[in-house]
Amino acid sequence: MDYRIQLVISNGYAADKDIYCTCGYNRKVKYREEAGRCPKCGVTETKKINYIRTNYTYIDTLFKVISKTDQGFHIEGEELFISFDLPEKKFTIESKNVRTLSFKLKDKVIQLSKNGQIMSVSDSNINQFFKGAPIERVLDVISTDRNKELYRFCYNHLSCMGYERNNMWGRGLTRLKTYPVIETIGLSPLVNHLNDFWVFHTTLTRSKETMPPHKLLGVPKFMLNYISRMRTYPTYKHERLKQLCQYFDGNSLKLIMEIFDEESDIDKVPDIAETLVEVHRDYGYSDLRRTILYITREVKLEQGIVNPSEAITLIRDLARMNIAMEKSFTKYPKSLKKDHDVALANYKTRESEFKQKEFAKVTEYEDYRDLSFIGKFFSIIRPSHVREVIKEGESLSHCVSSYIDDIIKRKCKILFLRDSKQPDESLVTVEVRGNVVRQVRGKFNRRPTTEESAFIESWAKKKNLEIQCH
Ligand SMILES: [Zn+2]
C-alpha cells in the first residue's frame, strides 16, 4: 500500500499551521502559506483540517490502474481507514475493502465489484467507490490525453444538471449516452471549446446526431484545427463561418484561413465572412487572394486600418455607392477611407436630388394642390420644394422639416398659412393627414390666434376637412 498525504492542521487562532506527512516528516508553515511539496518525500497532496484534540480519522481511496485506453478504463479502489494520533504524531492506515470499477465508452456500461463480488451499479455504490477523492486524482487514474477533458466535462457538467446538487461520477459518465454530440466533440480537436458548445450551441449538443465532427458542424475537415485554435467559439462565429464554407470551395477557404493566420488573426475571419461573400458575389471582387491580402495586410501597413472587418465594410460601401451612381471606381484604392468618403458625399448629394424629385411630384398631385387657397386676409400655400419646408421650420423654430419623408410617402401634407399681404413670410404651419387637420402651429409651436383659427375653420369647411387638433 502506498498511501501518501500531508495533513495540514490549522490549530485555532495560531499564527502557523502544522503539517504532518505520512513519510514521518513534520514541519510548520505560516498561517497564510500553502503547504506545497513535502521536503522529504515530495508528496504534494494535502488534506486540510481545522482543529484536532488528540486523534483524527477519515476514509480515503487509493486508486490503481488495471487497464486504460482511449476507449475506457478498469481501475481498482482500495478503501482506507486512516487514523492520525496527534500526541504520538503517528499514522495508522488500515485497508478495508477493495473495489473495482470498469467503464466502456462504446456502450457506457459500468461494472462494479467489492472484495471479489459483483456489485449492483447504483449511484450510491459508484459514489462509495470514488469517496473522498478529488477530481484531479480521479482524472489521473481514469483518463488518457485524448479523453481527459471529455471525462472532466462529464463530471463538471453532465453529472450535475438542473436541480441536482452534487457532482457524481457514475451519472456523469453514463449520461454521455444521452449526448452523443458531446462525446464526438470531446474526442475531437474541438475539445477545448466543449464548454462553449454546451452553453451556446444548445440545439446541436442536445441533438442525437452521430457523425464525424466536421460533418456535424458543416465545415471541411481541415477547418477543425483552425476552429480549435480560435479563442472562443460562440454561435455567431459558427454561423458566419458556416456561411463562408457554404459559399467558397475548399481551396478558397484554405487561402482565406492561411492569409488571416499569417497577416491578421483567425478569430477575425467570422467577422468578415458575410461581407466578403457579398463583395465577391455582388460587386465583382473575384480575385480572392488580392481581396484578402488587401484587407489584412495592405490597408494595415499603408493606411493604418488594422481591422479587416472595417476594411471590407468600407470596400463594400465604396462599391455599392459607386455602382448605384453608375460611376467607375478603383477596387483596391491607395486611400480607401478617402475614396469611400468622396463616394459617400456624392451619393448624399444625389440622394437629396432624388428626394426633391419625389417631393415635387407628390406636392403636384391634385389632392395636394387643391388644398391651396388665396383669401382676402389669409392664404394657404402649398410647398413645392423641400427647401421651403426646411425654411418654414427654421423661421418658426419647430420641427416641420422632420415631416419631409412622410410627405414623400404621402402619409401627410404640410401647408403654410400666410398673411395674404406677405405671402413669403412664415406665419403658421398646418398638418393634414387624410381628411383631418391634425396640427396648426406658429412660432415656437404657438397656437393660432382667434382670427387665424376662424380662417382655418372656414378653409377646412370649403375643402371638406375635419379639424382634430389637440
Ligand atoms: Zn513526506
Side-chain angles (χ1 to χ4, degrees):
M1 180 201 320
D2 182 29
Y3 181 72
R4 299 194 300 166
I5 201 154
Q6 307 176 83
L7 289 188
V8 181
I9 306 172
S10 7
N11 276 311
Y13 299 101
D16 48 26
K17 298 184 280 198
D18 293 310
I19 300 177
Y20 300 97
C21 185
T22 39
C23 74
Y25 188 81
N26 305 326
R27 60 199 167 111
K28 276 183 191 296
V29 295
K30 291 225 171 63
Y31 193 77
R32 295 189 177 283
E33 230 171 85
E34 288 298 319
R37 190 179 287 274
C38 170
K40 192 180 159 199
C41 72
V43 63
T44 51
E45 207 166 311
T46 57
K47 185 167 181 68
K48 289 171 185 155
I49 303 162
N50 273 333
Y51 174 79
I52 56 176
R53 202 173 285 269
T54 52
N55 195 278
Y56 183 77
T57 57
Y58 66 99
I59 297 171
D60 207 343
T61 307
L62 186 63
F63 295 113
K64 211 160 72 187
V65 178
I66 298 167
S67 66
K68 80 174 161 180
T69 65
D70 292 342
Q71 294 309 312
F73 56 84
H74 187 192
I75 58 174
E76 186 187 273
E78 187 177 358
E79 189 180 33
L80 303 175
F81 279 41
I82 297 119
S83 171
F84 179 68
D85 186 306
L86 186 62
E88 298 283 323
K89 300 180 172 45
K90 193 168 167 280
F91 284 90
T92 315
I93 302 170
E94 218 180 311
S95 169
K96 283 285 174 184
N97 296 297
V98 177
R99 298 181 171 88
T100 65
L101 186 149
S102 73
F103 172 74
K104 288 197 192 77
L105 256 177
K106 193 167 187 240
D107 49 18
K108 281 75 180 169
V109 167
I110 292 178
Q111 287 178 317
L112 265 180
S113 82
K114 181 179 172 184
N115 303 325
Q117 303 283 311
I118 288 172
M119 298 257 293
S120 72
V121 183
S122 63
D123 276 344
S124 69
N125 282 343
I126 297 169
N127 290 345
Q128 196 66 40
F129 183 91
F130 290 108
K131 194 170 174 158
I135 175 171
E136 290 305 329
R137 199 201 294 171
V138 175
L139 284 175
D140 276 351
V141 76
I142 68 173
S143 69
T144 60
D145 285 345
R146 179 127 195 265
N147 59 30
K148 186 171 187 176
E149 293 311 311
L150 175 64
Y151 287 163
R152 186 195 301 280
F153 183 88
C154 289
Y155 184 75
N156 285 337
H157 298 273
L158 297 189
S159 86
C160 186
M161 296 173 72
Y163 292 108
E164 291 165 359
R165 295 257 161 226
N166 300 304
N167 297 83
M168 296 185 189
W169 276 109
R171 66 185 180 204
L173 292 171
T174 47
R175 269 181 193 159
L176 271 182
K177 215 172 181 160
T178 321
Y179 302 105
V181 174
I182 289 297
E183 186 176 336
T184 306
I185 293 170
L187 296 176
S188 79
L190 303 175
V191 60
N192 57 324
H193 294 314
L194 200 50
N195 284 325
D196 274 5
F197 274 100
W198 183 246
V199 173
F200 301 119
H201 304 245
T202 46
T203 317
L204 182 70
T205 48
R206 273 65 165 181
S207 79
K208 304 292 171 205
E209 300 288 356
T210 51
M211 48 174 92
H214 64 283
K215 290 206 170 132
L216 212 52
L217 294 190
V219 301
K221 204 168 174 185
F222 76 87
M223 197 57 96
L224 295 184
N225 282 314
Y226 283 110
I227 295 175
S228 94
R229 284 177 44 216
M230 290 181 179
R231 284 181 291 277
T232 57
Y233 200 59
T235 333
Y236 84 88
K237 273 190 179 171
H238 176 54
E239 290 307 324
R240 289 176 190 179
L241 204 61
K242 210 165 70 178
Q243 193 184 355
L244 202 66
C245 293
Q246 279 159 359
Y247 180 77
F248 288 108
D249 63 23
N251 286 334
S252 304
L253 291 167
K254 269 186 193 149
L255 182 78
I256 296 169
M257 298 314 289
E258 278 164 11
I259 297 178
F260 263 83
D261 201 9
E262 209 163 293
E263 304 287 347
S264 178
D265 179 355
I266 52 167
D267 273 84
K268 289 182 175 167
V269 171
D271 298 337
I272 58 113
E274 205 174 2
T275 318
L276 180 65
V277 170
E278 201 183 338
V279 300
H280 189 272
R281 187 189 55 207
D282 303 336
Y283 298 130
Y285 285 76
S286 48
D287 187 344
L288 189 63
R289 172 185 291 276
R290 177 87 173 85
T291 307
I292 300 297
L293 279 170
Y294 183 76
I295 63 168
T296 56
R297 183 188 167 86
E298 201 172 318
V299 296
K300 182 173 70 183
L301 298 181
E302 290 164 22
Q303 306 182 31
I305 303 171
V306 288
N307 199 341
S309 83
E310 188 191 346
I312 195 82
T313 309
L314 286 169
I315 281 187
R316 193 261 323 266
D317 292 344
L318 172 74
R320 184 175 51 84
M321 292 185 291
N322 278 307
I323 290 169
M325 295 185 289
E326 295 173 343
K327 274 192 170 175
S328 64
F329 63 101
T330 312
K331 271 188 185 170
Y332 305 103
K334 287 276 164 236
S335 179
L336 177 58
K337 271 184 186 157
K338 202 187 94 210
D339 281 22
H340 168 273
D341 291 352
V342 168
L344 181 62
N346 289 336
Y347 187 79
K348 272 191 173 157
T349 321
R350 297 281 296 269
E351 198 183 22
S352 60
E353 228 174 81
F354 171 77
K355 264 194 182 175
Q356 171 50 31
K357 252 187 219 163
E358 288 294 297
F359 189 88
K361 197 167 81 189
V362 167
T363 51
E364 267 301 309
Y365 285 134
E366 211 176 310
D367 62 338
Y368 210 130
R369 233 176 34 208
D370 278 357
L371 294 178
S372 312
F373 178 79
I374 311 281
K376 193 177 172 195
F377 302 104
F378 293 113
S379 296
I380 295 287
I381 293 172
R382 160 187 73 92
S384 58
H385 201 286
V386 172
R387 260 199 316 272
E388 293 171 61
V389 182
I390 294 169
K391 191 175 153 252
E392 177 91 348
E394 280 166 1
S395 356
L396 299 182
S397 303
H398 58 39
C399 65
V400 67
S401 52
S402 64
Y403 287 69
I404 290 170
D405 287 332
D406 278 3
I407 297 171
I408 291 172
K409 289 179 200 144
R410 307 189 72 188
K411 284 184 182 168
C412 76
K413 302 183 186 76
I414 294 294
L415 297 133
F416 308 143
L417 167 68
R418 300 270 165 92
D419 186 326
S420 297
K421 288 192 206 95
Q422 296 170 298
D424 294 331
E425 298 281 315
S426 293
L427 185 62
V428 167
T429 315
V430 180
E431 179 202 347
V432 177
R433 286 199 181 237
N435 285 323
V436 180
V437 178
R438 293 298 297 271
Q439 284 198 83
V440 181
R441 292 294 164 92
K443 192 152 189 160
F444 301 119
N445 277 327
R446 75 162 171 84
R447 309 268 164 174
T449 62
T450 318
E451 291 80 15
E452 289 161 358
S453 290
F455 171 76
I456 297 268
E457 271 168 45
S458 71
W459 163 76
K461 208 169 175 186
K462 280 193 194 89
K463 306 293 181 188
N464 289 318
L465 299 171
E466 223 183 293
I467 298 179
Q468 281 178 16
C469 296
H470 23 243

